[in-house]
Amino acid sequence: MSRNGTIKETMAVHFEKVTIIGVGLIGGSLAIALREGGLCGNIVGVGRGVRNLDTAKRLSIIDSFTTDPAEGVKGSSLVVVAVPVLSTAAVVKTIAPALEKGCILTDVGSVKQALIKETEPLVPEGVHFVPGHPIAGTEDSGAAAAFSGLFRGRKTILTPTPGTDRAALSIVREVWESAGSVVVEMDPAIHDTVLAAVSHLPHMIAYSLVNTVADIDDRMGGKGGDILAYSAGGFRDFTRIASSSPGMWSDICAMNRDAIVGVIEDFQKTLEELRRSIEACDTERIIKSFERSKRVRDSIKD
Amino acid sequence: MSRNGTIKETMAVHFEKVTIIGVGLIGGSLAIALREGGLCGNIVGVGRGVRNLDTAKRLSIIDSFTTDPAEGVKGSSLVVVAVPVLSTAAVVKTIAPALEKGCILTDVGSVKQALIKETEPLVPEGVHFVPGHPIAGTEDSGAAAAFSGLFRGRKTILTPTPGTDRAALSIVREVWESAGSVVVEMDPAIHDTVLAAVSHLPHMIAYSLVNTVADIDDRMGGKGGDILAYSAGGFRDFTRIASSSPGMWSDICAMNRDAIVGVIEDFQKTLEELRRSIEACDTERIIKSFERSKRVRDSIKD
């Protein structure tokens, strides 16, 4: 890799060979963005499923592929581990002996503390691990769903540790900026609380809401017909995330357990307060609560 | 009004004069659909705000308007009360002496039991009250937001009571079918439980979620930056309904209190179960719960 500090904004970073482990929506989209940004020569894809890798090669997302992670990372100056959070450490353990000295290793996991704790000790001396998390995604998955604009205008959070090499951190920042992302550095613990609140909690609520409505439907035994037939656009928008991968979200629950349990408890208190206000017909309190929520929500651009 | 039973599907119903009280998104859209369907001659709009009525007239949604409800309903064979649920009874009380004999009176309120209990006794002898609820809406409001396709493909629930005239019920059904709606008849109590589950509960949850995240943000005191900046599309879709009118939703809470408190309690049980599973790292149980939710959610067409 070469790095020219004087022309930082354009083509400051170049990797001869990049390895993407897990060529799904995130890994695949980053590969496309890296190539479009002119940041890399060769891109090697690594995965377990040959079919998905074949698709990725056919779509020119990657130049070649292998199902052997250690083989795949040989000679790479940038290795991106884009696998489910619970598998990241195992992948790093497998590739560790094959990583080039000076190589940059980064990930895209949506939980950082537990992942860093498991992964960082496995990274060999001379390899630079930079934990990262692009906040982007759709309900689709796999290489076929990948597109270069996925990260455009989206935040990517980098969570350096005391051991993180500053130069490597700066290079990973440029990689994500080149993909159109707005890069922010954050303490791993803060990251996990923030994501528990704005991402993990909504998913837990959406899953629970759909199950509750299904329970009510079961209980009504057809008296209300198929209750979901009466849901309008609001319910559909609201519960779309309940279609997300159960396996991926179960992993996230395991990896960010304490933060998730904490924000669920926060939410439970707020909902219980509202329930009591409704029960007591405390209109003033109800309106005050709805108005605050509307004010906060209206401040987010859609 | 004339009704020709032999050509039921086309132009079976015709009203010389229709009065829409509350020319907002719902009332205005129904007026447009009635006119496009050739179901009416003259449409009179009634409201409190002259500005909105002026807009409605300028957009040819209504032919004329008045701010005097009793004046507005004179000579009408169809009167649609499309005001907030908590105001419906008061409006009906005001117009009752001015309603024509044989006239059909209907409403669009999203709560039915309490509304019927308050309203039905106020309806004069010889006037036919048909309680209804079109399940449609956007976050926008006012006549300017109205459009003829609002009800197309959407369910409209009619909740007749033992006192409801069957011929009037059948005519109101044709009105909504002509607007493109799929009409369903339902017991008022069932309606209120179904809507509490698929509409009122999601709104209560969305308001509470946004407030919880705002609390966490306050507590972090800027350490996480503006926490909402890290929300992705999922959170935005999920919380869009928290931008809904606080006044309207406070009214709904008052009118459907028991059913809403009931479904909140159901949801609280389901969420607490999930919280415990996460705390106990009970992966099997977590995945089972997520999978059920995904299966149910995937069954709804977006």
Side-chain angles (χ1 to χ4, degrees), chain A residues 10-298:
Chain A
T10 54
M11 298 282 297
V13 172
H14 189 84
F15 308 97
E16 282 310 313
K17 184 181 168 188
V18 170
T19 302
I20 307 280
I21 305 179
V23 192
L25 174 67
I26 303 288
S29 296
L30 181 59
I32 299 172
L34 279 168
R35 196 190 301 281
E36 284 187 4
L39 265 69
C40 64
N42 209 32
I43 304 182
V44 181
V46 176
R48 286 183 302 187
V50 171
R51 204 165 143 179
N52 180 60
L53 291 166
D54 251 336
T55 302
K57 185 158 186 281
R58 193 168 36 77
L59 296 171
S60 300
I61 295 172
I62 53 175
D63 298 298
S64 62
F65 64 80
T66 169
T67 55
D68 177 353
E71 176 64 29
V73 302
K74 270 185 198 156
S76 273
S77 43
L78 175 68
V79 174
V80 181
V81 184
V83 302
V85 280
L86 217 52
S87 311
T88 302
V91 166
V92 170
K93 196 172 181 180
T94 308
I95 61 174
L99 290 168
E100 296 289 315
K101 208 142 182 112
C103 144
I104 292 175
L105 174 68
T106 191
D107 79 304
V108 300
S110 51
V111 178
K112 299 271 61 114
Q113 277 177 292
L115 186 146
I116 290 168
K117 197 176 160 194
E118 287 177 358
T119 305
E120 207 165 39
L122 304 168
V123 178
E125 193 66 34
V127 169
H128 309 302
F129 176 50
V130 179
H133 175 210
I135 304 183
T138 68
E139 270 73 60
D140 300 319
S141 58
F147 62 103
S148 72
L150 180 62
F151 310 110
R152 210 166 290 144
R154 298 291 183 185
K155 292 260 191 325
T156 291
I157 306 180
L158 301 180
T159 58
T161 69
T164 305
D165 182 81
R166 303 311 292 185
L169 175 65
S170 163
I171 289 167
V172 173
R173 169 185 281 273
E174 288 185 49
V175 164
W176 287 109
E177 284 176 350
S178 144
S181 211
V182 178
V183 177
V184 181
E185 283 174 36
M186 207 182 270
D187 178 81
I190 303 282
H191 168 278
D192 288 354
T193 304
V194 169
L195 267 289
V198 300
S199 169
H200 309 168
L201 176 60
H203 279 81
M204 299 307 110
I205 290 173
Y207 281 128
S208 298
L209 171 62
V210 172
N211 282 334
T212 303
V213 173
D215 284 341
I216 294 171
D217 196 28
D218 286 353
R219 219 161 54 210
M220 293 181 82
K223 268 206 291 181
D226 180 6
I227 196 172
L228 288 166
Y230 302 100
S231 60
F235 185 84
R236 289 164 208 208
D237 279 350
F238 194 67
T239 56
R240 190 158 295 120
I241 55 177
S243 282
S244 305
S245 158
M248 187 182 103
W249 280 97
S250 160
D251 284 5
I252 291 172
C253 287
M255 293 283 279
N256 202 22
R257 187 186 70 162
D258 296 348
I260 292 176
V261 168
V263 293
I264 290 178
E265 285 166 354
D266 289 337
F267 173 79
Q268 286 176 320
K269 278 178 210 133
T270 306
L271 182 64
E272 174 58 12
E273 221 170 81
L274 176 60
R275 192 195 64 76
R276 281 186 198 188
S277 301
I278 296 171
E279 201 170 36
C281 289
D282 188 341
T283 304
E284 199 183 324
R285 202 170 176 149
I286 293 169
I287 289 194
K288 217 171 130 183
S289 150
F290 291 176
E291 278 175 348
R292 179 186 181 212
S293 179
K294 179 173 169 58
R295 203 166 48 241
V296 172
R297 179 59 185 79
D298 285 347

Side-chain angles (χ1 to χ4, degrees), chain A residues 211 215 219 236 238-240 243 257 265-266 268 272 275 279 289 292 294 297-298 302, chain B residues 211 215 219 236 238-240 243 257 265-266 268 272 275 279 289 292 294 297-298 302:
Chain A
N211 282 334
D215 284 341
R219 219 161 54 210
R236 289 164 208 208
F238 194 67
T239 56
R240 190 158 295 120
S243 282
R257 187 186 70 162
E265 285 166 354
D266 289 337
Q268 286 176 320
E272 174 58 12
R275 192 195 64 76
E279 201 170 36
S289 150
R292 179 186 181 212
K294 179 173 169 58
R297 179 59 185 79
D298 285 347
D302 274 317
Chain B
N211 282 333
D215 284 341
R219 220 161 53 212
R236 288 164 210 208
F238 194 67
T239 57
R240 190 159 296 121
S243 282
R257 189 186 70 162
E265 285 167 354
D266 289 337
Q268 285 176 321
E272 173 59 13
R275 192 196 64 76
E279 201 169 37
S289 150
R292 179 186 182 215
K294 180 175 168 57
R297 179 57 185 80
D298 286 347
D302 275 319

